[in-house]
């Protein structure tokens, strides 16, 4: 299944001028566990998906009490700089929709 079919919320937003943070939140414990246990969403897959070097994934947290996965990547250029396509970081989440979760 695709991540968009399992998660109830997938979003992104600014985390300061140099970072974008992402939240993947699940209502269902089974879908949360399935995603975490599969390893389909990991720092390595995030780096590949967003075409950034692995060291640009500055944090990756599986938050069990909230049934959520949160990760942060360092932007290629500061928010609002010339050529930055999304200064608010709010439209960066769609590539996560198609992540396949076995």
């Amino acid at each position: 299944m695709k991540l968009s079919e399992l998660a109830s919320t997938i979003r992104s937003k600014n985390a300061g001028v140099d970072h974008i943070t992402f939240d993947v939140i699940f209502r269902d414990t089974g879908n949360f566990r399935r995603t975490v246990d599969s390893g389909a969403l990991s720092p390595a897959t995030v780096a590949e998906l967003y075409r950034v070097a692995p060291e640009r994934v500055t944090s990756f947290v599986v938050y069990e009490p909230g049934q959520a996965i949160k990760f942060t990547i360092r932007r290629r250029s500061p928010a609002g700089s010339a050529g930055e396509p999304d200064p608010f970081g709010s439209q960066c989440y769609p590539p996560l929709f198609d992540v396949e979760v076995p």
Side-chain angles (χ1 to χ4, degrees), residues 72-89:
T72 303
I73 60 173
R74 181 175 293 279
R75 290 176 175 269
R76 288 189 180 94
S77 56
S81 62
E84 171 59 41
D86 185 2
F88 298 111

Side-chain angles (χ1 to χ4, degrees), residues 12-95:
S12 62
K13 58 189 173 248
N14 272 346
V17 72
D18 292 325
H19 294 85
I20 300 171
T21 194
F22 298 78
D23 301 309
V24 181
I25 304 168
F26 301 83
R27 278 194 197 111
D28 178 89
T29 303
N31 289 341
F32 171 69
R33 286 278 23 119
R34 175 181 177 174
T35 303
V36 171
D37 293 346
S38 75
L41 197 56
S42 68
T45 58
V46 166
E48 184 179 325
L49 187 64
Y50 285 93
R51 297 184 178 125
V52 297
E55 60 270 11
R56 293 187 80 86
V57 180
T58 60
S59 70
F60 188 93
V61 176
V62 175
Y63 184 63
E64 301 277 345
Q67 296 185 151
I69 300 169
K70 182 179 186 98
F71 61 90
T72 303
I73 60 173
R74 181 175 293 279
R75 290 176 175 269
R76 288 189 180 94
S77 56
S81 62
E84 171 59 41
D86 185 2
F88 298 111
S90 61
Q91 300 299 313
C92 297
Y93 60 90

